[in-house]
C-alpha cells in the first residue's frame, strides 16, 4: 500500500465526530468549571489514542475484505435477474462492512447501500434482483466496501469487485415458460382455457391401436390386412415459413409499466419464434420504420434463435412514420414462398388504419397475415369507472369512442381477410403463441 492510499482510502465515521464534539464540550465547560479542564485533556488524549489504534487495526498489512459480484453474462429484459455479492472477512476481528453497489445509470438508483457484520474468516452473501426495462449495455461500477473495526471511529475503503459490463437481451427467461404451450393439447391464457380446433392432417405412419387413440383415425384396410386394429397417426405440417414483422415507428414508443410497446413486442417475438422452431417451422424476422431495418431470412438451422436474439438486441424505437409501402416492396422482392406474417404494430384510430390498409390488403393476397396491436389499458380503466361529475362523463365518452374504434379496426381487418389480435401488453406473448398454435392446428400454417 502506498502512502497516498492511506489518505484516499481513509474515511471518518460519525462516531469520531461525536467523540470530538464531546471533547469540545468538555473544554468549553472547563472555562466555567476549572476542575473539568484536566478531565477534558484526559478525554481528548484518550480519544486520540483510540483513533490511532483504530487506524492501525484498519490498515494492518494482512487485513482486507475480499469480494465477488456473481452476475450472469447477460440479463433478461423485463424479468427479475438475480445478483449475488460474496464478501469474505480477512481481518482478525468482527468487521462491520457497508457495501455500496454502483448500479448502471439505466436504473437511476444512487443509494444502493447494504450494511452487515462479518466474523473473522467468515463470509457473507448479499442477494438482490434487478429488472431492466431497456435493452443495451449496462455498466456496473466497482463494488465498494467501507470497513469499520469494533471501535467504529474510522473507515477504510476497499474495491471488492471491479467494474463489469453486461448486456441486456430480450426476455430469454420467458422461452422455457412458453415452451409447454407447444406440446400441450390445450392452450391457456392466465386461467382461461382455450380449445384447440382441429388437428393436423399430414400423414406420418400407421400403428397398432392403443387405448386413448382417436377412433376416427382407424385404418380399416390395414386392420383387415393384419387382423389387429390399426390407426393412422398424423403430425404437424413442417418447414413452413413464419416471419415476425416489427414496426419501430413512433406508435410503438407508447410506454406501459416502464417498457415500451416495442419492448413488449420484441419479448413476444422471441418467445413465439422459439415455439416456431420447436414446431419444425422456419423462423424469420424483419424490422422496419421509415426504412427497412434487420432482415433475417426464415430458416431453422442450428443457431437461428441466437441469430434472431442478436438481431433484436439493439432495436430502438424511431420517431418517424412507418413506411408500409417500402415494407411491401421488400417482402415481394425477398420472399417468394407463401408465408405466415405476424405484424406487431399499433393502430389507435380508423384513420391510421385506412392509410396503411391498401398495403396490408396486397400483402394478404400473397401471404397469411395477422396484425397484432394493443388495447389502451388506461382507456379501458376509464371506461369501467363510474363518473361523478360532468368532466368525468366527457372523459368516459371519449374513452368509449376510442375503445369502439379499436373493435372496428379488428372488424375491418377481418373483412379484408386479415387476421387480427387485439391484446394488452401483459398478455401479448401468450396471445400470439395461442394464435400461432391455433392456426397450426387448423392447417393454415
Amino acid at each position: 500500500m502506498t502512502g497516498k492510499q492511506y489518505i484516499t482510502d481513509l474515511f471518518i465515521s460519525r462516531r469520531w465526530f461525536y467523540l470530538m464534539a464531546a471533547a469540545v464540550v468538555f473544554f468549553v465547560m472547563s472555562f466555567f468549571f476549572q476542575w473539568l479542564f484536566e478531565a477534558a485533556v484526559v478525554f481528548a488524549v484518550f480519544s486520540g489514542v483510540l483513533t490511532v489504534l483504530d487506524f492501525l487495526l484498519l490498515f494492518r498489512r494482512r487485513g482486507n475484505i475480499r469480494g465477488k459480484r456473481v452476475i450472469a453474462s447477460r440479463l433478461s429484459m423485463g424479468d427479475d435477474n438475480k445478483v449475488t455479492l460474496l464478501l469474505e472477512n480477512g481481518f482478525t476481528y468482527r468487521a462491520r462492512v457497508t457495501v455500496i453497489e454502483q448500479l448502471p445509470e439505466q436504473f437511476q438508483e444512487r443509494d444502493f447501500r447494504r450494511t452487515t457484520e462479518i466474523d473473522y474468516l467468515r463470509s457473507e452473501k448479499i442477494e438482490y434482483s434487478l429488472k431492466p426495462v431497456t435493452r443495451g449495455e449496462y455498466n456496473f461500477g466497482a463494488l465498494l466496501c467501507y470497513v469499520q473495526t469494533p471501535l467504529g471511529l474510522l473507515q477504510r475503503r476497499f474495491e471488492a469487485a471491479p467494474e463489469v459490463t453486461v448486456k441486456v437481451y430480450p426476455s430469454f427467461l420467458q422461452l422455457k415458460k412458453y415452451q409447454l404451450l407447444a406440446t400441450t393439447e390445450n392452450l391457456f391464457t392466465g386461467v382461461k382455457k382455450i380449445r384447440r380446433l382441429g388437428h393436423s392432417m399430414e400423414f406420418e405412419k400407421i400403428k397398432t391401436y392403443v387405448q386413448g387413440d382417436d377412433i376416427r383415425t382407424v385404418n380399416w384396410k390395414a386392420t383387415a390386412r393384419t387382423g389387429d386394429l390399426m390407426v393412422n397417426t398424423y403430425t404437424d405440417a413442417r418447414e413452413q415459413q413464419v416471419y415476425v414483422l416489427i414496426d419501430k415507428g413512433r406508435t410503438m414508443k407508447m410506454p406501459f409499466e416502464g417498457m415500451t410497446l416495442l419492448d413488449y413486442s420484441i419479448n413476444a417475438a422471441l418467445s413465439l419464434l422459439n415455439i416456431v422452431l420447436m414446431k419444425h417451422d422456419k423462423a424469420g424476422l424483419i424490422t422496419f420504420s421509415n426504412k427497412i431495418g434487420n432482415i433475417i431470412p426464415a430458416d431453422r438451422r442450428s443457431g437461428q434463435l441466437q441469430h434472431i436474439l442478436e438481431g433484436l438486441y439493439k432495436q430502438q424505437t424511431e420517431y418517424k412514420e412507418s413506411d408500409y409501402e417500402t415494407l411491401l416492396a421488400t417482402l415481394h422482392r425477398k420472399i417468394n414462398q407463401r408465408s405466415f406474417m405476424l405484424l406487431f404494430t399499433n393502430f389507435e384510430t380508423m384513420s391510421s388504419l385506412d392509410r396503411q390498409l391498401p398495403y396490408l390488403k396486397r400483402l394478404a393476397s400473397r401471404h397469411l397475415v395477422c396484425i397484432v396491436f394493443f388495447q389502451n389499458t388506461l382507456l379501458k380503466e376509464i371506461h369501467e369507472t363510474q363518473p361523478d361529475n360532468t368532466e368525468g362523463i366527457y372523459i368516459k365518452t371519449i374513452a368509449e369512442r376510442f375503445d369502439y374504434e379499436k373493435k372496428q379496426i379488428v372488424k375491418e381487418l377481418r373483412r379484408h381477410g386479415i387476421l387480427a389480435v387485439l391484446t394488452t401488453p401483459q398478455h401479448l406473448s401468450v396471445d400470439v403463441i395461442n394464435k400461432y398454435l391455433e392456426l397450426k392446428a387448423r392447417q393454415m400454417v
Side-chain angles (χ1 to χ4, degrees), residues 76-80 131 171-184 186-191 264 267-268 270-272 274-275 278 305 425-431 433-434 437:
S76 178
M77 182 182 68
D79 299 313
D80 290 327
K131 186 178 181 180
S171 181
F172 51 84
L173 294 181
Q174 294 184 13
L175 298 184
K176 292 183 179 180
K177 175 181 177 182
Y178 295 118
Q179 283 179 358
L180 182 62
L181 291 174
T183 57
T184 55
N186 297 298
L187 310 181
F188 296 91
T189 170
V191 295
Y264 282 101
N267 283 349
L270 186 63
S271 299
L272 171 66
N274 179 52
I275 301 299
M278 287 182 60
L305 187 65
Q426 64 264 40
H427 295 141
L428 177 61
S429 296
V430 172
D431 286 345
I433 292 174
N434 280 342
L437 294 179

Side-chain angles (χ1 to χ4, degrees), residues 334-347:
K334 297 284 187 180
I335 305 173
N336 298 321
Q337 179 182 339
R338 174 176 163 78
S339 307
F340 175 41
M341 302 284 181
L342 192 72
L343 171 60
F344 290 90
T345 186
N346 195 35
F347 296 118

Side-chain angles (χ1 to χ4, degrees), residues 370-428:
C370 180
I371 309 296
V372 181
F373 60 108
F374 300 88
Q375 288 181 330
N376 192 317
T377 54
L378 178 60
L379 294 179
K380 187 177 180 180
E381 291 175 3
I382 295 174
H383 176 68
E384 293 174 352
T385 59
Q386 294 296 327
D388 54 3
N389 53 46
T390 305
E391 181 182 2
I393 295 174
Y394 283 126
I395 294 175
K396 182 175 181 179
T397 302
I398 295 173
E400 289 175 347
R401 171 68 182 274
F402 277 105
D403 185 61
Y404 175 76
E405 285 212 37
K406 288 280 188 179
K407 295 176 181 178
Q408 288 299 111
I409 290 173
V410 174
K411 291 181 179 179
E412 183 68 12
L413 288 171
R414 290 175 178 172
R415 190 169 69 88
H416 294 285
I418 302 173
L419 303 175
V421 176
L422 177 60
T423 183
T424 58
Q426 64 264 40
H427 295 141
L428 177 61

Side-chain angles (χ1 to χ4, degrees), residues 269-318:
L270 186 63
S271 299
L272 171 66
L273 293 178
N274 179 52
I275 301 299
V276 169
L277 293 172
M278 287 182 60
K279 284 292 188 180
H280 305 284
D281 284 335
K282 297 179 180 179
L285 172 71
I286 297 176
T287 64
F288 71 100
S289 57
N290 62 315
K291 58 183 179 181
I292 301 299
N294 286 43
I295 299 180
I296 300 178
D299 206 334
R300 60 176 306 269
R301 61 186 177 182
S302 176
Q304 179 73 354
L305 187 65
Q306 181 63 31
H307 191 197
I308 292 171
L309 181 63
E310 292 293 338
L312 292 171
Y313 164 56
K314 292 186 178 180
Q315 299 296 329
Q316 297 296 332
T317 312
E318 299 180 10

Side-chain angles (χ1 to χ4, degrees), residues 132-191:
V133 294
T134 57
R135 286 161 282 107
E137 293 186 344
Y138 282 56
N139 299 311
F140 288 79
L143 179 65
L144 301 179
C145 293
Y146 292 83
V147 182
Q148 289 179 284
T149 69
L151 295 176
L153 300 177
L154 304 176
Q155 293 180 335
R156 180 181 174 184
R157 180 178 62 186
F158 288 90
E159 186 176 303
E163 297 181 6
V164 65
T165 299
V166 298
K167 294 181 178 180
V168 174
Y169 283 87
S171 181
F172 51 84
L173 294 181
Q174 294 184 13
L175 298 184
K176 292 183 179 180
K177 175 181 177 182
Y178 295 118
Q179 283 179 358
L180 182 62
L181 291 174
T183 57
T184 55
E185 291 299 322
N186 297 298
L187 310 181
F188 296 91
T189 170
V191 295

